[in-house]
Amino acid sequence: FLNIVALLVENGILKKASLNNEYENLYKRVEVLSNFWFSSVLIQAETINSTSVDTYKTLVSQSIYPYLTGSAKTAYIALFPNQR
């Protein structure tokens, strides 16, 4: 993950970290979200369907959005116009 982040920073897609361990902690937050998402869906809806999967994808992608550079945010909106 951190190697990919380094490449994305180097290529101007992600901002440089402003805080100590910023991207390490982003990884941990996404990991926690991923680990407990399934349980949460089953408690709330008792089944996983395309809507719940789409919601999960949005949660993860929007977790990364604040770290994108300006041009990468523009590209993100172009790829996911319904999230605006």
Side-chain angles (χ1 to χ4, degrees):
F1 176 81
L2 294 177
N3 289 335
I4 292 170
V5 166
L7 285 172
L8 293 173
V9 168
E10 183 180 312
N11 287 292
I13 296 167
L14 290 178
K15 298 175 185 177
K16 291 181 181 179
S18 300
L19 305 170
N20 291 335
N21 302 313
E22 189 169 8
Y23 285 113
E24 290 89 340
N25 291 330
L26 173 62
Y27 176 80
K28 289 176 186 177
R29 288 192 306 274
V30 171
E31 181 181 38
V32 168
L33 174 66
S34 299
N35 288 340
F36 293 101
W37 167 80
F38 183 76
S39 298
S40 175
V41 169
L42 291 180
I43 289 168
Q44 294 176 18
E46 297 183 6
T47 186
I48 298 205
N49 56 37
S50 62
T51 301
S52 57
V53 171
D54 288 343
T55 299
Y56 171 74
K57 291 188 300 189
T58 300
L59 286 170
V60 171
S61 68
Q62 286 185 358
S63 296
I64 297 166
Y65 182 82
Y67 298 94
L68 298 175
T69 60
S71 59
K73 285 182 178 180
T74 301
Y76 177 96
I77 295 300
L79 287 170
F80 306 106
N82 61 337
Q83 289 189 30
R84 187 165 194 138

